[in-house]
Amino acid sequence: MIKKQFSLIAVMMSLLTTFSVLAEQEKLKISGFGTLASATADTRTYQFRTDRSQAEAAKKDGLAFKPLSLIGLQIDYSFSANLDFVGQFVYREQDEQNLDSIAQMAFLRYDITPSWQVRAGRLAADIFHFSDTRDVSIAYPWVKVPTEVYGIVPARSFDGADISYLKPYRDFNLLIKTFWGQGESDYTRNDYSPVIFNDLRSVGIELASFDWSVAFKHTRIEAENDNADIAFVTSGVEQLQPFWSGATAFADSLSLRGASIQYTSVYLNRFLGDWEVSGELSHIDSDSIALRDSLNGFLNISYFYGAHTFYGLVSFSKTDTYYLSEEQPGFPINANTAELAVYVEEVASTLAHYQHSLSLGWRWDVKENLAFKVQVERTDIEARGGGLRARDGLVVDSGDDVAHTLFLALSFSF
C-alpha cells in the first residue's frame, strides 16, 4: 500500500515537474553523484557487505563492485521563492529495483518564514548524522560510512513530513527538527521480505558553528510485521503451547510485529587546524528479542594536507550474546525441539551484532568534484556477532574470526 501511494505521488510529481520544465527551464537544476568502488576480503567465511539490505558481498580471491558502487541523480525545481521540489534517485545494489526502490527522496519544501520550514513526501531517514549524504561518498572522507553504525539500519528514507526551526545566535546556529512518517526496511534473504514500520516519530537538536557541531536525535517507531524467517520461528514456538505454558507469550516476545523500537544517536565533530575529530554514538532497543539492546559507535581522526586527507577510524557494534537455555530455562529442549531451539537463537542473534573495526585510509581530491580513496579495514568478529557480514549458514553457529578488507573508490559529483 505504501509503495502504491508513493508511486502515484512520484508519477504526479514527475509530470508536474516535466510540464513546469517546459515552461520555465531556468528554474530546474539537475545534478548527480556516484561511486565506482571495489572491495576484496581475505576470508570466505565473513564476506563484506555495505549493509544488511545487500545480498552481494566481497570475499576472498576477487573484486566485488556491487556492494559500494552506485549512481545518483538529483532534481531541484523551484516553483516560487518559498516553494520547491527535490527528487533524488539512486541506483545501487539492493533486492528490488523499481521506481519506488530507487527514489531516495521526493518531497516538496516550503519556507514559512526564514526560520520555519516544512517538507512533505519521501525524506531521508533522519536518524543518523549522515542521513542525507549516506550514499554520497564524496561528502565524507571514508570510502563508506562506518558499517557498525549505518549498516545495521538498511532504511534510507521514509514517507511523511517534517518541520524545522533554525535560530542563528552569535557563535552558532540552533536547528530543531521533528518528523512523522512510515516506511520499510529489507533485511536481505532469498526473496524480498521487507519489514514495514509505522508511526515513526523523531526529534533532533543540532548546534553548529564554523569549526564544531553537536547533534542529538531520538526516533521511535513501530514494526507492523515480521519478515518470513521470524514468522516461521514464532509459529513453531506457538505450537509448543500444549507442552509448555509459556510458549505463546515467548513467541510474542520473539516477534517484531507490534514491537516498539527506539533509536538514539549523538554526533559531534571539531576542527583543530589541519585536524578533524568526529564521532557518533547510537543506541538501539526494542521490546522484541529479535532486536535487543545494542550500543554502536565510531571515532574518526583526519589530517588534511593540501588535496590529501589521511584518516584513522575505530568503530564498534556490541550486543550481548543470547543463549536460550539461560534466557528461557522453561523452554522444552529435547530431540523433537532441538532444531527449533537453534532457530530461536538464530532469530535472537541475526540482528545482534558484536564486532569492532580499525580502518586506515587516504583520500586524494584530484579535482573539486573527483576524489580517489583507499581504505584498509581489520574487523574482529565475536562468536554469534557476525550478522553485519555476509556468510553461509546460521549466525548462531559462527565463531570468533578476523576479516581484512581492502577498498578502492572513485567518488564524483556532476
Side-chain angles (χ1 to χ4, degrees):
M1 181 62 71
I2 291 174
K3 291 181 181 178
K4 291 180 179 178
Q5 290 175 343
F6 178 74
S7 297
L8 179 59
I9 294 172
V11 170
M12 292 176 63
M13 292 308 306
S14 298
L15 290 174
L16 180 60
T17 302
T18 301
F19 292 145
S20 300
V21 168
L22 294 176
E24 301 177 77
Q25 292 189 8
E26 69 274 11
K27 293 185 176 182
L28 175 68
K29 294 181 180 178
I30 297 178
S31 58
F33 57 87
T35 300
L36 176 61
S38 69
T40 184
D42 66 346
T43 171
R44 295 183 183 278
T45 304
Y46 286 109
Q47 305 160 22
F48 167 79
R49 60 180 171 182
T50 303
D51 60 51
R52 291 198 53 95
S53 72
Q54 290 193 327
E56 287 289 332
K59 56 188 177 182
K60 192 174 183 179
D61 299 331
L63 296 175
F65 291 89
K66 288 186 177 180
L68 288 165
S69 298
L70 57 85
I71 185 76
L73 180 69
Q74 180 155 327
I75 299 171
D76 297 83
Y77 183 78
S78 176
F79 295 99
S80 68
N82 296 337
L83 179 65
D84 62 351
F85 168 77
V86 177
Q88 185 183 95
F89 305 89
V90 180
Y91 182 81
R92 61 183 179 83
E93 165 62 20
Q94 51 187 344
D95 285 351
E96 191 172 68
Q97 298 287 3
N98 52 40
L99 176 62
D100 182 63
S101 64
I102 67 173
Q104 303 293 313
M105 300 185 200
F107 61 84
L108 287 171
R109 178 170 51 199
Y110 181 67
D111 294 327
I112 304 171
T113 69
S115 293
W116 289 94
Q117 184 183 86
V118 174
R119 304 186 303 172
R122 174 158 296 183
L123 301 162
D126 193 24
I127 60 177
F128 312 106
H129 177 72
F130 293 100
S131 294
D132 287 344
T133 56
R134 180 172 173 170
D135 289 324
V136 189
S137 177
I138 200 168
Y140 42 77
W142 322 293
V143 171
K144 58 180 180 60
V145 288
T147 304
E148 282 78 1
V149 176
Y150 289 77
I152 297 171
V153 183
R156 283 166 165 75
S157 55
F158 289 94
D159 300 334
D162 68 16
I163 183 168
S164 60
Y165 173 73
L166 177 64
K167 172 70 174 177
Y169 288 89
R170 179 177 178 181
D171 298 323
F172 62 88
N173 291 331
L174 167 66
L175 176 65
I176 302 174
K177 182 189 295 184
T178 62
F179 173 81
W180 179 88
Q182 57 186 358
E184 62 184 37
S185 284
D186 178 31
Y187 296 92
T188 192
R189 59 194 303 278
N190 293 330
D191 56 349
Y192 186 64
S193 178
V195 176
I196 297 171
F197 296 102
N198 294 320
D199 199 19
L200 186 152
R201 292 156 286 165
S202 71
V203 60
I205 301 174
E206 181 176 354
L207 303 177
S209 182
F210 175 74
D211 57 357
W212 62 267
S213 68
V214 57
F216 168 83
K217 300 177 189 291
H218 179 72
T219 301
R220 189 181 185 91
I221 197 169
E222 184 175 295
E224 180 180 294
N225 64 300
D226 291 318
N227 64 22
D229 293 334
I230 297 177
F232 172 77
V233 173
T234 55
S235 175
V237 172
E238 286 176 342
Q239 294 177 24
L240 297 179
Q241 184 65 30
F243 313 102
W244 177 37
S245 60
T248 300
F250 183 54
D252 289 340
S253 67
L254 281 173
S255 176
L256 276 175
R257 190 174 58 251
S260 176
I261 301 167
Q262 298 85 43
Y263 190 100
T264 306
S265 69
V266 176
Y267 172 85
L268 60 87
N269 89 310
R270 180 78 162 92
F271 288 97
L272 300 166
D274 296 328
W275 296 84
E276 181 192 13
V277 179
S278 62
E280 190 165 2
L281 191 65
S282 66
H283 180 261
I284 307 172
D285 198 10
S286 80
D287 47 14
S288 168
I289 294 173
L291 187 59
R292 293 179 294 114
D293 180 80
S294 174
L295 184 64
N296 320 279
F298 74 84
L299 177 65
N300 170 74
I301 298 177
S302 294
Y303 175 69
F304 305 101
Y305 183 76
H308 305 274
T309 303
F310 304 93
Y311 60 86
L313 177 72
V314 178
S315 51
F316 70 93
S317 176
K318 183 180 185 303
T319 305
D320 292 337
T321 306
Y322 184 92
Y323 291 97
L324 178 61
S325 59
E326 297 176 3
E327 301 292 338
Q328 286 291 332
F331 189 96
I333 301 178
N334 52 49
N336 295 323
T337 63
E339 186 176 62
L340 178 60
V342 171
Y343 289 150
V344 168
E345 293 194 331
E346 180 72 5
V347 166
S349 303
T350 298
L351 299 179
H353 313 108
Y354 195 172
Q355 67 175 49
H356 61 272
S357 296
L358 171 63
S359 304
L360 299 174
W362 164 48
R363 167 179 171 146
W364 174 27
D365 286 277
V366 182
K367 297 173 63 177
E368 184 178 347
N369 63 341
L370 178 66
F372 173 70
K373 304 179 185 181
V374 179
Q375 182 170 322
V376 179
E377 187 171 274
R378 171 195 165 106
T379 302
D380 289 78
I381 305 158
E382 304 294 332
R384 298 190 175 195
L388 286 173
R389 313 284 295 200
R391 62 185 300 278
D392 295 328
L394 300 174
V395 173
V396 73
D397 288 339
S398 63
D400 296 348
D401 206 344
V402 177
H404 298 86
T405 312
L406 171 66
F407 305 97
L408 302 172
L410 272 177
S411 302
F412 56 90
S413 61
F414 56 91

